[in-house]
Amino acid sequence: MRILLVEDDGSSREALRVLLEILGHDVDEATNGEQAVALAVARRPDLIFLDVGLPRLNGHQVAKRIRDQPGGDAFFMVAFTGHQRRERGPADGFDAYLLKPAALDQLDEVLAAASERPSPRAAADEGAAHRGAADRGRRTAEAVPPRTRLVLIVEDDAALMDAMVVALEYEGYQVVPAAHGKEALDLLHRGVRPRLIILDLMMPVMNGWDFRRAQLADPKLAAVPVIVVSAHHEANRLARSPGVRDVLVKPIDLEQLLDLVEASCAA
């Protein structure tokens, strides 16, 4: 099966990922709720393991966001938790609960139950076929593809990241955060397709310049527009780079950023 594993604890995530891959499954990973929603929409996994104690957006909030997506009822979601729960049911968005650390027999039960459910990808294809004739040619605001409201923010400053996420989500955008360029590239290679990338330059692991080189070298990613947000004295040099809509110097004006995002997503 295609499985999405959402867990912010690295050792716990790695242990379960290795076990699932040994069992022959294809595993995508997310470390926070925003990534989880984006990957669920992009990849439509057969099974989602969702840590309940995620930062910022907890597992219950993430489950609700995924359920609220078109076709969200088709996902098989398992709460991955360190707390024993006696009452189990779909009322809070989960189909099952798995106690940390995962016992193999309990994991087998969850995998067997998920395998008996129709794939969310098949459900989405069937739904699209039924809607095709009625929807063809209609261009209303409600019919705008989700990609036009998806923004990827690549920023290692947690306070600034939180401020941008709150501001953009308040305006109705779906936001996917990444703490450095490599994390952003991994998300893009897994199928996340934002309408816009907001990019810091000075970051650990992979900085913004290296990210831009990798982005422009990939024909599938090169066309995604970028807004650069940086305090680096050479940031303005990127204003002439292909696809860069603008360069904002930190500390940024959030209203100015929102205006640029709106213009970029409308283009």
Side-chain angles (χ1 to χ4, degrees), residues 2-258:
R2 180 181 295 172
I3 295 174
L4 173 58
L5 173 56
V6 189
E7 168 64 81
D8 65 317
D9 181 84
S11 59
S12 181
R13 186 177 67 252
E14 176 74 5
L16 184 54
R17 179 188 63 79
V18 169
L19 181 54
L20 291 170
E21 289 181 342
I22 289 174
L23 294 173
H25 301 287
D26 179 16
V27 182
D28 288 320
E29 298 176 63
T31 59
N32 59 56
E34 293 88 349
Q35 290 180 3
V37 176
L39 284 171
V41 172
R43 298 279 284 167
R44 302 201 68 81
D46 303 293
L47 171 61
I48 301 174
F49 286 104
L50 184 54
D51 179 25
V52 173
L54 292 170
R56 201 155 59 202
L57 286 179
N58 65 43
H60 296 281
Q61 292 170 314
V62 175
K64 184 179 186 305
R65 288 196 182 192
I66 293 176
R67 292 293 187 210
D68 288 343
Q69 299 293 321
D73 289 341
F75 290 107
F76 192 99
M77 284 195 282
V78 178
F80 194 39
T81 175
H83 302 284
Q84 185 68 47
R85 181 184 174 93
R86 294 182 179 179
E87 296 180 4
R88 303 181 179 186
D92 54 3
F94 294 107
D95 297 283
Y97 286 79
L98 187 65
L99 193 64
K100 299 179 185 180
L104 190 56
D105 58 343
Q106 294 175 330
L107 183 61
D108 283 341
E109 291 178 6
V110 168
L111 292 171
S115 68
E116 294 174 358
R117 288 270 289 270
S119 168
R121 295 182 297 284
D125 292 342
E126 182 178 354
H130 285 300
R131 294 190 302 270
D135 289 345
R136 194 172 293 115
R138 294 168 59 185
R139 298 294 297 173
T140 64
E142 292 78 7
V144 175
R147 180 176 178 270
T148 63
R149 307 295 289 182
L150 179 61
V151 177
L152 172 61
I153 302 179
V154 193
E155 171 64 69
D156 66 324
D157 184 322
L160 178 56
M161 172 71 83
D162 287 343
M164 289 191 288
V165 169
V166 169
L168 288 167
E169 288 187 341
Y170 183 80
E171 294 296 323
Y173 295 94
Q174 182 180 348
V175 182
V176 180
H180 50 73
K182 185 179 184 305
E183 184 178 359
L185 281 178
D186 288 344
L187 288 167
L188 293 168
H189 290 153
R190 291 180 201 165
V192 173
R193 287 294 177 266
R195 183 64 185 85
L196 175 70
I197 299 171
I198 298 174
L199 178 67
D200 183 24
L201 295 180
M202 300 300 294
M203 296 177 291
V205 186
M206 176 184 281
N207 63 42
W209 288 284
D210 290 340
F211 172 85
R212 282 291 289 161
R213 281 189 280 271
Q215 180 195 4
L216 293 174
D218 189 331
K220 295 180 180 179
L221 307 178
V224 182
V226 172
I227 294 174
V228 174
V229 175
S230 179
H232 196 278
H233 65 280
E234 293 188 352
N236 283 321
R237 291 177 56 185
L238 282 177
R240 298 185 296 273
S241 178
V244 172
R245 294 294 170 85
D246 212 331
V247 176
L248 297 183
V249 178
K250 294 179 180 178
I252 66 169
D253 182 329
L254 283 177
E255 288 296 331
Q256 183 183 9
L257 175 65
L258 291 173

